[in-house]
Amino acid sequence: MASTQLTGVHSLHPVRVDAGSGSGVPLILLKAAAASTFPLLLRRAATVLTVLGLAMIPWLVFLHTGLPAGAQASHWAWTWTGLDSFEALGLLATGLLLRRGDCRACLTSAATSALLLVDAWFDTMTAAPGSDFELAVLMAVFAELPLAVACAVLATRTFPRPAR
């Protein structure tokens, strides 16, 4: 059944198009091209990723049971500054790519969505009980999670689809 669903799958390859803005910077658009090996590679990739995902389950059990409840981090400030910097870079790159009409905005938007989800998770899981935890939950509920959803929706809506 999977092979019949993949028969019409096309690979995408980049095509340079004049932006028309006089800047001399071409847009990179994805154009559909038939590729006979793409369905086979896609099936193999799906199998490998599924096996790897399942293989991580014992590792996750080991981590959950083996790691200490508390830990000291040497570069705590750099860790959070770095994560928030990547989020800012993702938002900035997505906005600039969208403004240029560049289809790669779907990639930066998807990555930014994932970063925001990770930030919300780690903020709430590492916050000290009390007002720190309450602030982390408020930030997650009213800032990080809604923005992550918006970026995910943007990524799916701007994803280039091959012409049929």
Side-chain angles (χ1 to χ4, degrees):
M1 180 163 193
S3 64
T4 59
Q5 292 174 342
L6 296 173
T7 350
V9 174
H10 290 81
S11 69
L12 300 175
H13 66 277
V15 175
R16 296 172 67 99
V17 177
D18 181 20
S21 64
S23 66
V25 178
L27 291 178
I28 306 295
L29 302 176
L30 295 177
K31 183 176 179 183
S36 59
T37 59
F38 188 68
L40 176 63
L41 291 175
L42 188 60
R43 286 194 308 271
R44 286 183 180 167
T47 301
V48 167
L49 292 173
T50 303
V51 168
L52 290 174
L54 291 172
M56 284 189 68
I57 293 172
W59 173 247
L60 294 172
V61 171
F62 170 76
L63 283 177
H64 187 71
T65 58
L67 288 176
Q72 191 73 22
S74 300
H75 304 287
W76 191 250
W78 280 108
T79 301
W80 289 109
T81 305
L83 178 59
D84 286 355
S85 296
F86 285 126
E87 290 171 16
L89 183 61
L91 292 169
L92 180 63
T94 300
L96 292 174
L97 289 170
L98 280 175
R99 184 171 298 279
R100 289 179 43 200
D102 195 318
C103 67
R104 292 174 293 182
C106 68
L107 301 174
T108 58
S109 186
T112 304
S113 177
L115 286 169
L116 287 161
L117 290 174
V118 168
D119 192 8
W121 175 259
F122 283 110
D123 279 348
T124 55
M125 293 296 107
T126 61
S131 62
D132 283 348
F133 180 74
E134 291 169 5
L135 180 60
V137 169
L138 287 173
M139 287 291 293
V141 170
F142 292 108
E144 295 154 345
L145 295 177
L147 193 52
V149 169
C151 285
V153 168
L154 181 64
T156 58
R157 296 237 171 120
T158 58
F159 187 79
R161 289 169 178 66
R164 294 189 186 250

